[in-house]
Amino acid sequence: MPDISEERIVEGVRRSVDRSGGEPIPTGRATGGTGPARSRERFLQGDSVGAGVRTSILNSWQRCRTLGLSPDQSDLPYREDFDPDGRIVRAAVPVLDRLQSTFAGSAMNISVADASGTVLLRRFGEASLVRTLPAIQSVPGFVFAEQLAGTNGIGLALAERQLIRVYGAEHFAERSQGSACRALPVRDPLSGRIEGVLCLGYPRSSEDPALDTVIRKAAEAIERRLLEQSSARERALLRAYLDAGAEAAAGLHHTVGVEALALELHPRDRAVLMEKAAELISRAQRVAVDVPLPDGRRVTLVSRPMTSVSGVEGIAIEAVLPGPPPRERLAIPHQVDEPLGFPAEPAVAPVPPLSGAVPAAVVPWHLSLTPPSGQHPPETAPGRPAVAGEGIADIDGVTDDRPDSPPSARGLVMVGEPHVGTYALAARRRLELLSEASVRIGTTLDVRRTARELAETAVPRLADFVTIDLPEAVLRGEESADPRSDLRRAVVHGIRDGCPFSPVGKHIDYGPMTPQMRCLTNGQAVLEPDLQAAAGWLAQDPEHSEQLLSHVHSLIAVPLVARGVVLGVAGFYRAEDPASFGDDDRSLAQELATRAALSIDNARRYTRERTMVLALQRSLLPHGLPDQDAVEVAHRYLPAESDVGGDWYDVIPLSGTRVGLFVGDVVGHGLLSAATMGRVRTAARSFAELDFPPDEVLTHLDNLVGRLDREEPAAEGAGIIGATCLYAIYDPTSQQCTMARAGHPPPALVRPDGTVSFPDLPAGPPLGLGGLPFEAAEIHLPEGSQLVLYTDGLIEDRHRDVDVVLDQLRGVLAHPERGPDETCQAVLDTVAPAHPCDDIALLVARTHALDPGRIATWDLPADPALVSEVRSSATRQLADWGLDEVAFAAELMLSELVTNAIRHGAGPIRVRLLHDRTLICEVSDTSNTAPHLRRAASTDEGGRGLFLVAQLAESWGTRYTPEGKVIWAECGLDGA
């Protein structure tokens, strides 16, 4: 009896249907010119249909048009060979009788169709409807499959495989537009296959949402009756086994009951035996198998065919515990295929495990794996059939006739029909596949690799071929604006090569009726059990579809959706397995795709973040090399595979033709490290351009990093912000290189003869610790030497020894004939790890020396009378260099600089001219007093010297030396 809530729902629906006045369900065309009727007219005229039509209905209309169906078609195929007493009919009759009683007196048309759309049963709320309705709506046997009848409840429920409502003009055919219906597939609870469709038809004016509940409950009742049919068959098999066992036990004098044995099975051991028993039932073979248990013990399972009194054929699985070796043994066949249908043999069971039958395929039982009298089970190979001579005896009831020999003991484990065992085995395999997928899918943060892991997991246990299409934007780490029009083939994977799928990288354009586009539109997996009948799929590309049909026959298209974002579509194809995909396969594919989509989305988000951080970091690194002649430079930057760090490098032209070389590494990875790197690099460049020596630059950077650590809120509780750095200044006039480092690996020095060394520089603490001094070291670099600066990502790796890597680096660098660019590439190819877990910054500088003929130097005491002599000497030198055009400006600048040094500095004074890309005028003295540029008032007699120098020079400045200071000015040579 239904519960109170169900009774209220049914009564409300019955009253709603009764409001039609008991009139027959109208047929013919819907009128009104609005809603579905208007949309249908526009569709039939070829116009665009707006948002007023549900997606499932519109898809069905489009399939009908693709199939060439006519809306005026009134005839449907009729099958005289339908089974009026089939399994679905027997299960549905009582349920339909109850529905007929519930809707008595109303215009309700109740029907049940089989899985092909053929109506098998009809019931009517009002008996007079039979006389007023056309035969196709009142007589069983007509086929309502969508490809024959167009859009209708039964056909669309089979196509969409879910609850369907079709209202009025949503029907494709003219004849049905005056009615409405609801249809729901009915599935076998064991296999999950669709056995039929339950359909409720009623006048269009009697639409009631409560009918959803009514039809669901009715379908569940039919499915329960289908399960009861299976249970009844299992109980019949169990009764046959028990009856046969009782007869056999009466003639045996040696019996050991299973319950009399000592130990009870552990649940884990029982699960192992149950799984093996289900597998044996699914094989439908007569065989004996020795099963090892996790604790090392063994038990033998024997499968026996049997037939119940009512003719049900099945398999009984017994557990056999052997006694001591008997005199006579019977050989057990190796996996002998004996199809069901031969006469049943009595299944011998000396004492049944439990008295009475149980209403299920599995019988509770207790079993000890220790035979009586302390005998041990035979030692046979695990997982293969037992044969004569291996301790498996008494399989057919033959026992040792010695009085003191205990017989073999056996007990029932499971009884069932082979197809039921197949379902159980398939369900277990699906669970195993899902468990495996959770481990195999998403092992990396690479979008393409994650998609391929999905395909590799599904082949061959679910599908024979898998294709995965992703939008180009997703591959870049972004969200696609229109994933349905931006798809590219990302993965093709299958059991063999040569299947004519579109290749990886090709743009994929799916038509509106293809399963892939339908699943992208509705967000649910779409199942096409038979691609030969998939009109939308065939119409997409007839020539290509015809080629594929020679390889595949069934398809599941699943959208890849995660967190509301559409990431692509996966296609699962079946080729080798003759069975088509079913709803269980669709659910499994949907679950696999959902799990994979989350991993793909994680990889996409990571790719986006990494791309953003990498773009930020690259924007903060030098975009080109400055013009200078001191060194020939090449550089490389290689980001880590997993994340982006804070490695950086820089080349800074300094005064006096010198050049500064930086390489550094900010601690950590990610956006914060990249941003911190930019701040540190900018500060380092500023300190370097102030002409501070290397140790002072590191001191200033140390203070800066410490201040950043104190000011950065994100660093609280996450460790300090730190960095390492190496700074070198090379002077081509003296070929001296001054270097200092702060916790950074020392550079490699390659001399012109190929000798490679790693200068032992004072290490210095990493930046940010504060309070500790930095020391600089000076090294002479002959012209043509190479200075190689790098970050720790090049040499430090948890899988490699640092000393071994340094030896490799020494070997690669021992080729002085290579240029800096060739050296960079050779180092990355040979020394860098294949999958770097940290960033690598590499800077190679080959030194040059400034021609002594381009250097002019004069030493003079602090005497103002010598200023004119310096001007004259400089003019002659500029003439020798061919720089007469800049002589006037150079004379003025030297005159002012020398005069300032004499008046405000301390002797001795040195004047130096350097002819490089520019003309550099330098005046040095032993005073540390810094000059200051100021604007002199109109009444001032002095104070205009540096202002004049600044106007004539391209740049000027001051640098300090251990002996004092140098004031320099550069004059351009463009006009020279």
Side-chain angles (χ1 to χ4, degrees), residues 706-791:
R707 185 167 63 254
L708 291 178
D709 181 54
R710 292 189 297 271
E711 295 174 353
E712 181 57 56
E716 295 180 2
I720 65 170
I721 296 175
T724 65
C725 182
L726 188 150
Y727 181 39
I729 297 178
Y730 172 69
D731 188 346
T733 63
S734 62
Q735 301 176 38
Q736 293 294 114
C737 183
T738 305
M739 294 181 282
R741 62 185 179 121
H744 202 83
L749 175 59
V750 185
R751 297 189 179 274
D753 60 358
T755 303
V756 180
S757 62
F758 297 93
D760 187 17
L761 303 180
L767 302 176
L769 296 183
L772 298 177
F774 297 95
E775 298 181 43
E778 192 170 283
I779 301 175
H780 180 74
L781 298 182
E783 184 176 10
S785 300
Q786 286 190 357
L787 192 63
V788 181
L789 283 65
Y790 52 88
T791 56

Side-chain angles (χ1 to χ4, degrees), residues 859-880:
D859 292 320
L860 60 153
D863 184 357
L866 299 178
V867 174
S868 60
E869 295 182 11
V870 171
R871 287 202 306 266
S872 300
S873 300
T875 301
R876 289 191 296 271
Q877 182 63 62
L878 293 177
D880 293 341

